Amino acid sequence: MIGYLSGKIISKKPTRILLDVNGVGYLINISLNTFDKLPDEGSNVALHTYLAVREDSLTLFGFSSESEKQMFELLISVNGIGPKLAQNVLSGIQIDELKNALSTGNISRIIAIPGIGRKTAERMLVDLKDKVDLVI
């Protein structure tokens, strides 16, 4: 598994970057929170990564911090939340705010995230309420 990449940003868009690592270009999906923390194109950056392996694809996700990656991994452990939806959740809310909403059971804040309905929010609360404190 690819857990960490460091290299030069070739191009960046709000949901993905192209990262040159020793002559190999990695297309990495990112959240809007990570995008906001990235330097300009041509600059060097290091990202924590998660490789999503499916039958028909290998998709790389990048995170500006270890805590964002840990939250991503918790989110995809919930039934009905895949990597793309988890990336969307991390784009729609700050990690500390998500941790607070999950630990206090604030379902209305979770439903306010684009792409999350009531059933998914309830599943998130049940599955993650006790685990959210483990995120750095």
Side-chain angles (χ1 to χ4, degrees):
M1 172 157 317
I2 301 169
Y4 179 85
L5 287 173
S6 176
K8 184 169 109 177
I9 299 173
I10 301 302
S11 68
K12 69 177 191 173
K13 295 179 181 172
T15 58
R16 65 174 45 173
I17 67 168
L18 181 60
L19 190 67
D20 179 349
V21 180
N22 295 324
V24 178
Y26 290 89
L27 187 59
I28 305 171
N29 294 290
I30 57 172
S31 69
L32 294 176
N33 290 326
T34 293
F35 178 78
D36 290 340
K37 296 174 185 169
L38 290 176
D40 294 332
E41 291 180 3
S43 301
N44 287 325
V45 70
L47 295 173
H48 298 275
T49 59
Y50 178 88
L51 181 62
V53 179
R54 294 186 50 193
E55 186 176 302
D56 58 346
S57 70
L58 299 172
T59 308
L60 200 55
F61 293 86
F63 312 95
S64 61
S65 67
E66 182 65 29
S67 61
E68 186 180 21
K69 180 182 177 181
Q70 288 177 356
M71 185 59 77
F72 176 86
E73 290 173 335
L74 277 179
L75 287 169
I76 63 174
S77 73
V78 175
N79 189 22
I81 298 182
K84 289 286 188 185
L85 183 54
Q87 177 187 2
N88 190 50
V89 169
L90 294 173
S91 291
I93 189 171
Q94 296 292 324
I95 293 173
D96 291 336
E97 191 178 351
L98 179 58
K99 285 172 63 173
N100 183 45
L102 289 169
S103 61
T104 61
N106 186 351
I107 196 163
S108 61
R109 178 59 187 109
I110 297 169
I111 291 172
I113 301 167
I116 299 295
R118 178 164 289 282
K119 282 186 177 182
T120 304
E122 290 170 350
R123 236 181 332 222
M124 286 172 63
L125 285 174
V126 170
D127 291 355
L128 302 181
K129 188 170 188 166
D130 297 331
K131 297 177 185 176
V132 74
D133 292 332
L134 302 174
V135 175
I136 300 172

